[in-house]
Amino acid sequence: LLCEVEVALIIFGTPTTLKPTGKLCQYSSKDIDMLLTKFLQLEPTEVFSNQDYDLKDLKEKEKGGEEEREDALARNRRECASREELQSAVKSLRHTLGANSAPPTCL
């Protein structure tokens, strides 16, 4: 249960022969444009990906090999999208969705 939070969820579906661009779904607790703008203006205090949880499992299993974990974290950080890449993706998404965002929809 999340209290006093703002949520924006964007899901890009895998392209298929029937829908070559893939399916695009969005949900937001408030205006998604406002949330995306806010996201771009702030520095995240925490950033997680599935790889972080994979590393956590690895850490619990191995209980050692500090250098290996540090190398894996460094690789993970290099693989993350840069701020510029995220801004470009948001701009593209806004263009795709149009100027006004509607309530949660699937395209």
Side-chain angles (χ1 to χ4, degrees):
L1 180 64
L2 299 173
C3 298
E4 299 181 28
V5 298
E6 297 168 348
V7 176
L9 176 65
I10 303 167
I11 302 170
F12 298 94
T14 303
T16 65
T17 53
L18 296 175
K19 185 92 172 158
T21 58
K23 193 173 185 180
L24 172 65
C25 298
Q26 76 176 49
Y27 166 81
S28 62
S29 59
K30 291 189 176 183
D31 177 52
I32 197 163
D33 286 328
M34 182 210 53
L35 292 178
L36 291 172
T37 300
K38 187 176 181 179
F39 170 77
L40 291 173
Q41 292 172 348
L42 299 173
E43 288 292 325
T45 55
E46 296 180 89
V47 177
F48 298 104
S49 71
N50 286 348
Q51 292 171 343
D52 295 317
Y53 293 100
D54 293 342
L55 290 172
K56 182 180 176 184
D57 290 342
L58 179 64
K59 181 190 264 187
E60 291 173 357
K61 290 177 185 174
E62 291 183 357
K63 299 283 183 185
E66 189 67 33
E67 287 181 15
E68 289 178 358
R69 283 195 294 278
E70 290 300 322
D71 289 344
L73 283 171
R75 281 192 307 277
N76 184 35
R77 287 188 183 103
R78 285 191 300 270
E79 293 171 2
C80 290
S82 70
R83 187 170 195 78
E84 292 78 22
E85 291 171 319
L86 291 172
Q87 287 173 331
S88 175
V90 167
K91 184 178 179 181
S92 176
L93 178 62
R94 284 184 177 156
H95 177 73
T96 302
L97 296 175
N100 298 322
S101 293
T105 58
C106 287
L107 304 174

